[in-house]
Amino acid sequence: MTSHHDSTRSIAARTVGLTKVYGRGDAEVRALDGVNVDIFAGEFTAVMGPSGSGKSTLVHCMAALDTPTSGTVYLGDTELAHLKDKALTELRRDRIGFVFQAYNLVPTLTAEENILLPLAIAGRKPDPDWYATVIDAVGLGDRLRHRPNEMSGGQQQRVACARALMSRPSIVFADEPTGNLDSTASAEILAFLKRSVRDFGQTVVMVTHDPVAASYTDRVIFLADGKVVDELRAPTSDRVLARMGALHPGPGTGVGHAALHTA
Ligand code: ADP
Ligand code: MG
């Protein structure tokens, strides 16, 4: 641990010089280029940036779903690169929750079965109080016996959020969790993620390109071209928009805000 990092808050995850290069030769893409970020425990952090800036690669590397080309990822005090396959599998299962844009539910299972699947695979019984708390918080009580194709997108994403929280992970990562949802369903998901931080002490990192979604968070990290270029605390949607405008060329230069609104 080096002294230039903030030492007053506990660190849930940290990247040091995180670099990810895809392809080689002419096809080489530097998706992440020396990223240093600290994610603070008990905070709701947003990751923003234009399409292709490395947001998904960053959260995939931090969630042990992808491996860095160089640099280091710590989850708490655990350096991911030091873990063998079995320990990595257990870490993904026990200490990380992930919410995907496309929900990624098992279509043949009910909502309840989907929510409990990671614990079932681990051979563990859910804590009944925690299960009841999560189900109540996502408002899914009357949908538990439904299958994904019998639920709206917003309901499916609430199932995915409940699934991500069941193991009480150290961090929940969400990659554009509201990207497929209308504004009402988005607001429900964002309120739930915020509540999981405020009321349950969860640590959440959410990729988004939506300033309104970012305004639910405590802190926004801005990426561009695989680098952290800015950061904003206590964001409002207006301040996020202003910061995005300052970071990217405006209309008339050919690459304006439109680029920010594509997935
Ligand atoms: P974002 O989520 O901000 O849109 P990504 O992290 O998905 O950005 O991608 C960052 C860059 O890395 C982009 O140029 C993208 O095309 C490239 N990239 C991402 N994944 C792969 C991959 N599996 N193979 C090759 N290039 C990739
Ligand atoms: Mg992405």
Side-chain angles (χ1 to χ4, degrees):
M1 303 283 153
T2 48
S3 58
H4 64 274
H5 288 106
D6 186 328
S7 60
T8 58
R9 278 173 285 225
S10 127
I11 307 281
R14 160 175 289 176
T15 71
V16 180
L18 179 61
T19 298
K20 178 70 181 184
V21 180
Y22 290 111
R24 46 179 68 180
D26 286 350
E28 184 179 296
V29 176
R30 196 163 281 265
L32 296 175
D33 191 6
V35 170
N36 302 312
V37 291
D38 287 347
I39 301 299
F40 299 105
E43 280 195 353
F44 192 0
T45 304
V47 177
M48 300 192 80
S51 180
S53 59
K55 305 180 297 294
S56 291
T57 305
L58 176 61
V59 290
H60 287 156
C61 287
M62 295 189 86
L65 299 175
D66 200 350
T67 50
T69 304
S70 63
T72 314
V73 178
Y74 298 92
L75 193 72
D77 293 330
T78 308
E79 185 175 343
L80 296 191
H82 286 169
L83 300 181
K84 303 229 187 304
D85 282 354
K86 182 165 177 287
L88 257 187
T89 301
E90 287 172 1
L91 174 133
R92 279 190 213 102
R93 190 185 70 197
D94 299 338
R95 293 177 60 190
I96 290 170
F98 208 100
V99 178
F100 299 89
Q101 182 173 350
Y103 329 130
N104 289 23
L105 303 179
V106 179
T108 53
L109 300 180
T110 66
E112 177 168 62
E113 289 164 345
N114 269 285
I115 293 166
L116 297 177
L117 183 63
L119 289 181
I121 290 171
R124 271 196 258 123
K125 293 243 182 302
D127 171 347
D129 290 341
W130 180 236
Y131 179 69
T133 299
V134 170
I135 294 303
D136 179 59
V138 287
L140 280 168
D142 57 348
R143 286 287 186 280
L144 290 174
R145 308 211 174 280
H146 289 60
R147 291 197 163 70
N149 67 6
E150 299 165 328
M151 291 185 281
S152 68
Q155 289 165 346
Q156 290 182 64
Q157 194 63 303
R158 284 188 274 146
V159 171
C161 286
R163 176 180 61 183
L165 258 82
M166 269 322 291
S167 68
R168 309 203 84 154
S170 315
I171 300 202
V172 171
F173 295 96
D175 192 354
E176 308 217 25
T178 61
N180 285 344
L181 303 178
D182 63 31
S183 59
T184 305
S186 294
E188 287 169 1
I189 293 295
L190 293 163
F192 171 75
L193 292 174
K194 182 167 181 158
R195 182 169 172 206
S196 75
V197 173
R198 290 289 166 279
D199 296 353
F200 307 148
Q202 186 63 61
T203 305
V204 178
V205 177
M206 173 180 71
V207 173
T208 183
H209 58 263
D210 175 6
V212 174
S215 72
Y216 283 73
T217 70
D218 300 305
R219 173 192 182 210
V220 182
I221 295 167
F222 294 92
L223 287 186
D225 296 329
K227 295 188 173 72
V228 175
V229 291
D230 205 352
E231 177 178 328
L232 188 59
R233 280 215 161 260
T236 62
S237 49
D238 284 347
R239 291 177 67 222
V240 170
L241 259 181
R243 205 61 74 94
M244 287 160 81
L247 289 172
H248 303 291
T253 61
V255 277
H257 283 112
L260 298 168
H261 293 286
T262 56

